[in-house]
Amino acid sequence: MTPYDSDPAERLVASAADGEDQAVEAALRPRQLDEFIGQERVREQLSLVLQAARQRGSSPDHVLLSGPPGLGKTTLSMIIAAELNAPIRITSGPAIQHAGDLAAILSSLSEGEVLFLDEIHRMSRPAEEMLYMAMEDFRVDVIVGKGPGATAIPLDLPRFTLVGATTRAGLLPPPLRDRFGFTGHMEFYAAAELQRVVHRSAALLDVEIDPAGAAEIAGRSRGTPRIANRLLRRVRDYAQVRHDGQVTREIAAQALEVYEVDERGLDRLDRAVLGALLRLFGGGPVGLSTLAVAVGEEAETVEEVAEPFLVREGLLARTPRGRIATAAAWQHLGLTPPTQQPAGRTALPGQPELFTPAAVPERPAAE
């Protein structure tokens, strides 16, 4: 096993939720829209949609929430149900592989119920086509039998509100996307917003933390509340075992150094990718597969797990010729960029030129 060989799902800065995250998030989730921190524009727009529906006494339009994982899409779906004083049914796209699966869920809904469909872009095509009619006409056609003798039985559905969540809105077909009356895109959080998230979570977890300690955790959380809450729990453990339990800036920095999360939120895998790109390939350009071999990871892991954050932070760039490091990457790792190679040269640091121009003898002057 290489020093960098690890399960991406187990990274401390992974935005996907594991079993522990799901259990803790249930206790930390806000229950009302006013308690939800961040996403000001989406909150304001969603508040208008819900208030208007309550005043009319009807179900609101279907809602689509898009954005990276860990930003609060599931939390907002539960808040929608709470604001409407309605029950909520939770499922996911990968769990619906057949149209019959979706028909069973839809037929069991009650009037005004909220159906939360996570990762809606991963739903099967037959179920997706059934959902078109359910969202628009509140009915589905259940096919009984096979072949020429098959019969379509129309089934009326109660009015419900579908809340779809997706991390890849571009994969949704236009007919499905157009049937949502409200679409909200979740943005990464600013450091000040994450600091408020850390303070709120610390109060619920009974952790004593000062503003500087909360700011230190927020600055390393990659703009994602889920990561902020996870780092807070690890810092809490460190403060409890090594100190008196109070979290200050110094203690938070020491704890996150133990867990290998640096001041910009990079972990071991991120620094391994940057280190290989800078030290072995002089900052690039280098191909993805070559870079993956250098850090001992699969190419998909480097491309899908490490690169998105490095690109967003301006530390790495993808070009047609390969991956290249930016000036900020050299500065972050404390390395000095190599001197600029002349045009056409591709030699790496420490490697000799394969071909050197031979000295051209002078021609004797014509007599």
Side-chain angles (χ1 to χ4, degrees):
M1 180 179 294
T2 68
Y4 310 118
D5 190 15
S6 59
D7 184 359
E10 297 178 356
R11 299 172 71 209
L12 194 60
V13 292
S15 19
D18 57 16
E20 182 186 5
D21 290 328
Q22 294 172 355
V24 175
E25 285 176 1
L28 298 181
R29 281 195 174 105
R31 301 291 187 262
Q32 302 296 326
L33 202 56
D34 293 340
E35 300 175 5
F36 191 87
I37 298 173
Q39 310 296 339
E40 301 291 340
R41 182 58 59 86
V42 174
R43 283 199 301 120
E44 181 182 6
Q45 295 171 346
L46 194 55
S47 175
L48 292 173
V49 172
L50 298 178
Q51 288 183 31
R54 286 199 302 265
Q55 291 175 4
R56 292 191 304 267
S58 63
S59 298
D61 290 337
H62 302 299
V63 176
L64 176 64
L65 301 174
S66 64
L71 299 185
K73 296 186 292 295
T74 302
T75 299
L76 272 183
S77 71
M78 295 182 176
I79 288 177
I80 290 173
E83 293 281 349
L84 296 173
N85 197 23
I88 183 171
R89 188 81 56 90
I90 299 177
T91 186
S92 64
I96 302 177
Q97 294 300 316
H98 307 282
D101 300 334
L102 180 61
I105 295 174
L106 293 174
S107 61
S108 64
L109 294 175
S110 58
E111 187 74 24
E113 190 167 356
V114 174
L115 173 62
F116 175 58
L117 189 51
D118 197 13
E119 294 299 306
I120 190 173
H121 64 273
R122 296 176 61 188
M123 190 168 48
S124 67
R125 181 55 59 87
E128 186 180 278
E129 293 174 351
M130 175 179 284
L131 192 59
Y132 296 161
M133 184 180 298
M135 294 174 66
E136 194 165 17
D137 301 328
F138 295 99
R139 73 180 184 90
V140 293
D141 291 335
V142 179
I143 307 299
V144 178
K146 295 182 180 180
T151 304
I153 301 177
L155 178 64
D156 291 330
L157 302 174
R159 295 191 70 87
F160 66 95
T161 298
L162 174 66
V163 180
T166 177
T167 56
R168 305 182 68 180
L171 296 183
L172 286 179
L176 179 58
R177 191 166 54 242
D178 293 342
R179 282 170 168 78
F180 287 97
F182 171 77
T183 301
H185 181 72
M186 313 284 282
E187 302 285 351
F188 286 104
Y189 281 57
E193 294 173 332
L194 283 178
Q195 189 172 347
R196 292 167 55 199
V197 170
V198 171
H199 269 298
R200 180 183 180 278
S201 299
L204 294 174
L205 294 173
D206 197 21
V207 177
E208 187 177 354
I209 187 170
D210 63 17
E216 186 70 22
I217 295 174
R220 305 186 186 213
S221 299
R222 299 179 176 232
T224 306
R226 176 176 291 154
I227 296 177
N229 289 330
R230 189 183 299 139
L231 295 183
L232 172 63
R233 299 199 304 273
R234 300 290 76 80
V235 171
R236 173 197 60 184
D237 297 343
Y238 179 88
Q240 177 183 332
V241 174
R242 300 282 178 88
H243 298 275
D244 59 0
Q246 182 179 6
V247 177
T248 63
R249 180 186 294 275
E250 292 75 15
I251 291 175
Q254 294 171 12
L256 295 176
E257 183 178 352
V258 170
Y259 288 106
E260 299 182 287
V261 179
D262 67 19
E263 62 275 7
R264 292 190 68 163
L266 276 67
D267 70 347
R268 183 178 60 178
L269 176 61
D270 300 321
R271 291 191 299 274
V273 171
L274 277 188
L277 181 58
L278 300 182
R279 295 186 177 93
L280 300 181
F281 304 105
V286 62
L288 172 63
S289 58
T290 302
L291 185 59
V293 169
V295 297
E297 293 285 354
E298 297 293 334
E300 292 80 5
T301 301
V302 174
E303 183 176 25
E304 299 175 9
V305 177
E307 283 189 352
F309 179 70
L310 295 176
V311 171
R312 182 161 62 87
E313 285 291 292
L315 300 173
L316 180 145
R318 296 170 173 172
T319 71
R321 297 180 59 198
R323 274 57 175 173
I324 62 173
T326 65
W330 292 97
Q331 182 179 3
H332 182 68
L333 293 189
L335 300 176
T336 303
T339 56
Q340 186 67 31
Q341 292 285 342
R345 302 284 183 86
T346 58
L348 301 179
Q351 294 184 353
E353 294 281 0
L354 295 179
F355 303 99
T356 57
V360 179
E362 297 183 1
R363 289 185 177 184
E367 298 180 358

